[in-house]
C-alpha cells in the first residue's frame, strides 16, 4: 500500500496539496483493515510525503523550504533572516525550577524562572518548538518584536541589560517526540525530532539562559559552523 501510494505521489497522479480518499475508502480499495492502512499512512508521513490534519483527513504534502537552525552564531553576527511566511507565537509564564530545569540552569529547587515558549509555523505547519528559560532575577519584559524561533531575542535583551552570554554550550540528540511535543508540532510519534539543549553562561560561569529546542526532522535542519563569518567565505 505504501509503495503504491508512494508511486502515485511521485508520478503526480496524487498531486501536491490534494486530499487522499477517506481512510475507510482506502482500506476497502486495498482490501485491508484500518490498522494496517494507518501503519502505511504513518510510514508515508514519516517520509514527509503526506500529512494528516485531525478532523480533516490526509493530504499530499506540498514542498516547503525547511527552517534552518544555525548553531555557533555569535553576538556580533548580523540578525538572522527568516522566511516572510514564518509565524511565531510566544507565551510567557513563571515556573519553579525542578528536575531537568533545575539541572539546565544550575539553580536551587523552586527558584523562580521565566519560561517563554516559542512555537513557529510556516505555511500552516509547525516547524519548531523552543522553551527558553531565564532566572526571574535576571529577566524583564520583552518587546513584541522582533522574535526569533530559537529565543535569540532573549539573548539580545539580556545584553541590553548588561548581561552578556560569554559562552554557549549545545547538546544535540535525535529521539522520538513526547506526546506533548507531537501534539504541538502536529506530527506522529514515529517521526524523529532533533532535540537541542542550549546553555549560556556569563563571564563568571553563571547560567543566564537555558533553551530546550525541538525540531521535526522532516521540516527543519541544523547547520554547524566553527568559524566567524569572515572565515566562511575565505575559500571562495
Amino acid at each position: 500500500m505504501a509503495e503504491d501510494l508512494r508511486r502515485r505521489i511521485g508520478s503526480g497522479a496524487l498531486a501536491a496539496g490534494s486530499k487522499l480518499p477517506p481512510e475507510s475508502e482506502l482500506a476497502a480499495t486495498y482490501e485491508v483493515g484500518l490498522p494496517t492502512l494507518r501503519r502505511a499512512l504513518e510510514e508515508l508521513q514519516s517520509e514527509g510525503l503526506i500529512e494528516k490534519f485531525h478532523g480533516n483527513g490526509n493530504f499530499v504534502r506540498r514542498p516547503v523550504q525547511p527552517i534552518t537552525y544555525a548553531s555557533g552564531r555569535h553576538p556580533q553576527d548580523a540578525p538572522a533572516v527568516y522566511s516572510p511566511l514564518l509565524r511565531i507565537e510566544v507565551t510567557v509564564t513563571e515556573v519553579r525550577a525542578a528536575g531537568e530545569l533545575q539541572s539546565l540552569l544550575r539553580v536551587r529547587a523552586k527558584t523562580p524562572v521565566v519560561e517563554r515558549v516559542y512555537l513557529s509555523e510556516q505555511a500552516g505547519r509547525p516547524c519548531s518548538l523552543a522553551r527558553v528559560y531565564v532566572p526571574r532575577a535576571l529577566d524583564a519584559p520583552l518587546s513584541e518584536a522582533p522574535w526569533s524561533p530559537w529565543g535569540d531575542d532573549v539573548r539580545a535583551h539580556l545584553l541590553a541589560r548588561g548581561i552578556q552570554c560569554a559562552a554557549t554550550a549545545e547538546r544535540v540528540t535525535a529521539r522520538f517526540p513526547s506526546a506533548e511535543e507531537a501534539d504541538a508540532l502536529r506530527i506522529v510519534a514515529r517521526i524523529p525530532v532533533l532535540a537541542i539543549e542550549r546553555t549560556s553562561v556569563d563571564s563568571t560561569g553563571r547560567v543566564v539562559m537555558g533553551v530546550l529546542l525541538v525540531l521535526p526532522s522532516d521540516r527543519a535542519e541544523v547547520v554547524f559552523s566553527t568559524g566567524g563569518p569572515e572565515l566562511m567565505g575565505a575559500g571562495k
Side-chain angles (χ1 to χ4, degrees), residues 1-2 33-45 190:
M1 286 180 296
L34 282 174
T36 302
L37 173 72
R38 286 168 181 161
R39 284 198 296 271
L41 294 177
E42 285 183 1
E43 181 178 328
L44 296 177
Q45 188 173 357
R190 290 178 56 191

Side-chain angles (χ1 to χ4, degrees), residues 218-234:
D218 67 336
R219 64 196 72 165
E221 61 184 10
V222 178
V223 176
F224 292 92
S225 59
T226 56
E230 69 281 356
L231 296 179
M232 297 300 292

Side-chain angles (χ1 to χ4, degrees), residues 48-203:
L49 294 177
I50 68 171
E51 54 190 343
K52 183 182 182 70
F53 294 96
H54 292 288
N56 202 18
N58 297 285
F59 292 78
V60 179
R61 185 180 177 190
R62 296 181 185 275
V64 295
Q65 181 178 358
I67 188 172
T68 300
Y69 173 75
S71 176
R73 286 183 57 80
H74 302 282
Q76 68 270 21
D77 292 345
V81 178
Y82 303 106
S83 165
L85 299 177
L86 188 69
R87 298 290 180 265
I88 304 172
E89 178 183 332
V90 182
T91 58
V92 184
T93 57
E94 183 175 306
V95 298
R96 298 282 177 169
E100 180 185 23
L101 181 55
Q102 183 182 350
S103 176
L104 178 70
L105 297 177
R106 300 203 291 265
V107 294
R108 294 182 177 180
K110 298 184 180 181
T111 296
V113 175
V114 175
E115 176 190 61
R116 290 181 174 84
V117 179
Y118 292 67
L119 180 62
S120 70
E121 184 176 282
Q122 186 170 248
R125 301 174 181 86
C127 47
S128 68
L129 175 65
R131 292 181 172 86
V132 182
Y133 299 96
V134 176
R136 189 182 65 182
L138 305 178
D139 193 75
L142 295 180
S143 60
E144 292 188 358
W147 286 335
S148 157
W150 337 117
D152 288 346
D153 50 301
V154 176
R155 183 173 65 177
H157 170 71
L158 290 173
L159 183 61
R161 298 191 62 212
I163 303 171
Q164 185 171 6
C165 298
T168 297
E170 296 180 293
R171 184 168 65 93
V172 183
T173 57
R175 59 171 174 79
F176 292 110
S178 67
E180 181 183 4
E181 292 165 347
D183 183 61
L185 294 169
R186 299 207 297 269
I187 57 177
V188 297
R190 290 178 56 191
I191 293 182
V193 297
L194 293 174
I196 302 173
E197 179 183 292
R198 194 172 81 207
T199 306
S200 297
V201 300
D202 63 13
S203 58

